[in-house]
Amino acid sequence: QVQLVESGGGLVQPGGSLRLSCAASGFTFSSYAMSWVRQAPGKGLEWVSAINSGGGSTSYKDSVKGRFTISRDNAKSTLYLQMNSLKPEDTALYYCAKAHGPYIVVVTTEYDYWGQGTQVTVSS
């Protein structure tokens, strides 16, 4: 069965960095686009970034452009999100999500599998 397991979250001071990972199994990882989606306390789901199946095309929410970098290692079936210059407003539960096909999708209702999430807290 499809499994997505996130890791790498934690507590970091403003301006700090974290690298999230999402280990995928149960499907042909290299055939599907993947995304990172977050949910802040008391708020709805917010798409953050996406990458196509081959890794050659990426997309970012405006507020994270220049600070976050999405990448993937298809040989290891793993998705990453490098987060630099973190701000308190980045505090959220971060999920990785699988798209239906190889192309980038930014609508959260279009994802068919989700991980359990990893908590990122940015605070001094």
Side-chain angles (χ1 to χ4, degrees):
Q1 71 279 21
V2 173
Q3 284 194 322
L4 299 171
V5 180
E6 301 95 337
S7 61
L11 173 63
V12 63
Q13 291 186 341
S17 298
L18 283 174
R19 188 194 196 200
L20 306 185
S21 299
C22 172
S25 61
F27 65 102
T28 305
F29 183 73
S30 59
S31 296
Y32 296 91
M34 298 292 295
S35 292
W36 288 98
V37 178
R38 67 188 181 187
Q39 186 168 28
K43 296 188 176 181
L45 293 171
E46 179 182 57
W47 173 80
V48 174
S49 182
I51 187 168
N52 70 341
S53 60
S57 180
T58 58
S59 186
Y60 298 92
K61 176 180 174 63
D62 284 347
S63 62
V64 308
K65 283 181 182 176
R67 300 189 298 122
F68 290 10
T69 302
I70 191 171
S71 62
R72 64 192 295 160
D73 186 335
N74 285 343
K76 295 182 178 180
S77 296
T78 303
L79 176 72
Y80 302 100
L81 185 68
Q82 177 67 44
M83 305 186 295
N84 299 328
S85 302
L86 282 161
K87 304 175 180 180
E89 51 263 43
D90 295 317
T91 294
L93 187 61
Y94 282 72
Y95 299 94
C96 66
K98 172 186 168 293
H100 288 287
Y103 304 111
I104 286 175
V105 174
V106 302
V107 178
T108 58
T109 55
E110 293 296 310
Y111 304 140
D112 54 6
Y113 289 95
W114 297 70
Q116 82 291 346
T118 186
Q119 179 67 39
V120 172
T121 303
V122 185
S123 175
S124 55

